[in-house]
Amino acid sequence: MDIQAKFTKSLEMMRSAERILIIAHLRPDGDALSSVAALRVLAITAGKEAVGFCQDKNQALFDYLPGFKEIEGDFNALKDKFGIKESLRDYFDLLIVADCGSLARTAISAEIIEFKKRGGNIIEFDHHPRIDDYADLEIRYPELSSTAELIYNFIVANKLSFTRDLADCILTGILTDTGNFLYPSASDATMKAASAALAAGAHYNKIVSYVLRNKDMVMMKMWGLALERLKLNPRYQLAFAVITRDDIRNILDQDNLDSAAESDFFSGLAGFLSNLSGAKAVMLLYEDRRGLVKGSLRSTPNGMLVDKLARALGGGGHERAAGFALPGKLELIDNRWMLVCGDN
Ligand SMILES: [Mn+2]
């Protein structure tokens, strides 16, 4: 199915539903909250009952988004409110999952699988690479900057009215996931979506200041550590930073967090590091919780193209943003970081 057909079909599915639950990832960021807020506005405009949900939503983040207060942040409270005893299917007939990457990041994967078993429909809107395959209609475009940009494309493709409320959502999601247009994920199409949002009256100053301000504490600490570790290899003009499993555990322990959301902390970090002058590319290396060493490569402006290096290491990506994952560990040997590959 091509993209236009997917957008048409998803709108048809929304229109033929009655009660829609819209879910984004736990500990939601600006793109997750904006996606839920925008889809909720679109569903309500289509005459539907629409409920938004993000587990552990922070009440202070992005509170200007339309319907922000109505987005549920606690699954048990949501169940009580809608009298859900056995399954989400007791009340809802359509689920829309946005910006989640994996099913686990919804915080309610078992409930979603149960909903599907009982004949409920699921649409997925996402810009992360696919991890789980469960949606009846999957609209996934990893090349897009943000789920908000994807929803903007949905609005345009279906010729829906792009109101000021929707424009606030779209601009918030784009600015969050591109670090205010600093990361290479911001393409010319991203800029066009953002400028359409401005033309539709999005509150630019307010949104920029929220996006700059609302950095999560754990994310700040990870970024601080990466900046402290940043080194430049003068021979290749390659800057790099190394974060080990122990480092990550230390930071997560201080804030009592499990590691489910840690990929969020690193998304954007390599892009931010690529602002370093004097380097042609940056490489962020970290040990993930499954025993993989992950490498994120970003080209600096006028820098080297990084996709070849990523591919040589078994990964892939674009010329200016690429990555790889290898089983192994990062070890400091004779004051040099080595990637020691495992045999699994
Ligand atoms: Mn996102």
Side-chain angles (χ1 to χ4, degrees):
M1 208 186 290
D2 71 13
I3 178 76
Q4 178 63 46
K6 284 186 180 182
F7 285 144
T8 309
K9 170 97 173 120
S10 55
L11 184 61
E12 277 167 14
M13 285 170 77
M14 281 168 81
R15 284 184 172 152
S16 53
E18 286 307 320
R19 292 163 169 173
I20 305 173
L21 180 62
I22 301 156
I23 304 165
H25 60 79
L26 70 171
R27 305 179 66 252
D29 60 7
D31 190 33
L33 288 166
S34 300
S35 299
V36 171
L39 289 164
R40 192 172 162 275
V41 166
L42 291 163
I44 290 170
T45 308
K48 306 303 165 184
E49 181 177 351
V51 178
F53 165 69
C54 299
Q55 184 66 39
D56 300 329
K57 168 193 152 198
N58 179 333
Q59 295 299 338
L61 285 180
F62 304 105
D63 52 8
Y64 57 86
L65 291 169
F68 179 83
K69 283 199 184 65
E70 274 73 53
I71 299 174
E72 302 286 337
D74 177 75
F75 188 64
N76 289 324
L78 182 146
K79 280 186 3 192
D80 287 349
K81 189 166 172 184
F82 296 96
I84 289 161
K85 299 254 165 356
E86 293 204 347
S87 156
L88 288 169
R89 194 76 180 86
D90 297 349
Y91 196 80
F92 298 102
D93 51 3
L94 176 66
L95 298 191
I96 302 180
V97 181
D99 199 43
C100 277
S102 72
L103 193 51
R105 306 213 48 230
T106 60
I108 53 165
S109 40
E111 285 83 356
I112 291 176
I113 297 301
E114 185 60 28
F115 175 84
K116 191 174 160 75
K117 269 193 205 146
R118 293 177 186 232
N121 285 319
I122 305 175
I123 307 174
E124 202 184 356
F125 283 92
D126 202 0
H127 72 124
H128 296 95
R130 177 199 280 154
I131 294 180
D132 302 305
D133 187 6
Y134 60 93
D136 298 282
L137 177 61
E138 184 183 52
I139 310 182
R140 175 183 304 289
Y141 287 89
E143 63 273 30
L144 295 186
S145 68
S146 52
T147 302
E149 186 181 342
L150 179 61
I151 293 170
Y152 172 74
N153 293 345
F154 166 90
I155 292 167
V156 172
N158 285 306
K159 301 189 173 66
L160 302 172
S161 124
F162 192 38
T163 61
R164 193 172 200 181
D165 273 353
L166 287 170
D168 276 341
C169 297
I170 300 310
L171 192 60
T172 300
I174 287 176
L175 289 177
T176 298
D177 274 18
T178 63
N180 290 335
F181 301 125
L182 282 177
Y183 311 150
S185 60
S187 67
D188 52 348
T190 313
M191 299 295 181
K192 277 184 193 144
S195 74
L198 289 171
H203 297 81
Y204 179 74
N205 290 329
K206 180 194 261 178
I207 296 172
V208 167
S209 77
Y210 268 74
V211 170
L212 283 174
R213 246 182 24 216
N214 282 329
K215 293 274 185 289
D216 180 286
M217 176 60 89
V218 175
M219 193 185 280
M220 285 285 206
K221 288 179 184 168
M222 296 278 186
W223 285 38
L225 187 65
L227 288 172
E228 192 187 306
R229 295 280 173 79
L230 192 61
K231 289 206 166 101
L232 183 68
N233 178 321
R235 186 160 152 210
Y236 299 109
Q237 288 174 275
L238 176 72
F240 65 96
V242 169
I243 298 181
T244 66
R245 197 67 220 151
D246 283 342
D247 295 329
I248 295 170
R249 227 172 272 130
N250 279 338
I251 291 176
L252 294 179
D253 283 353
Q254 289 171 35
D255 288 83
N256 244 330
L257 280 171
D258 68 42
S259 55
E262 68 185 40
S263 62
D264 282 4
F265 307 137
F266 297 105
S267 69
L269 179 49
F272 175 69
L273 295 176
S274 73
N275 295 311
L276 179 71
S277 73
K280 288 191 162 172
V282 296
M283 176 164 64
L284 173 69
L285 290 167
Y286 70 96
E287 293 174 325
D288 88 346
R289 64 185 190 283
R290 294 165 302 166
L292 296 174
V293 172
K294 293 226 173 136
S296 265
L297 289 151
R298 295 290 182 277
S299 164
T300 55
N302 307 315
M304 70 170 91
L305 306 181
V306 291
D307 54 327
K308 271 190 193 153
L309 178 55
R311 270 202 299 275
L313 294 165
H318 308 285
E319 288 183 343
R320 303 204 163 268
F324 60 88
L326 291 168
K329 293 167 77 66
L330 293 162
E331 284 179 20
L332 194 59
I333 299 170
D334 296 335
N335 216 21
R336 290 167 67 175
W337 282 106
M338 307 285 276
L339 198 169
V340 181
C341 286
D343 25 45
N344 47 329

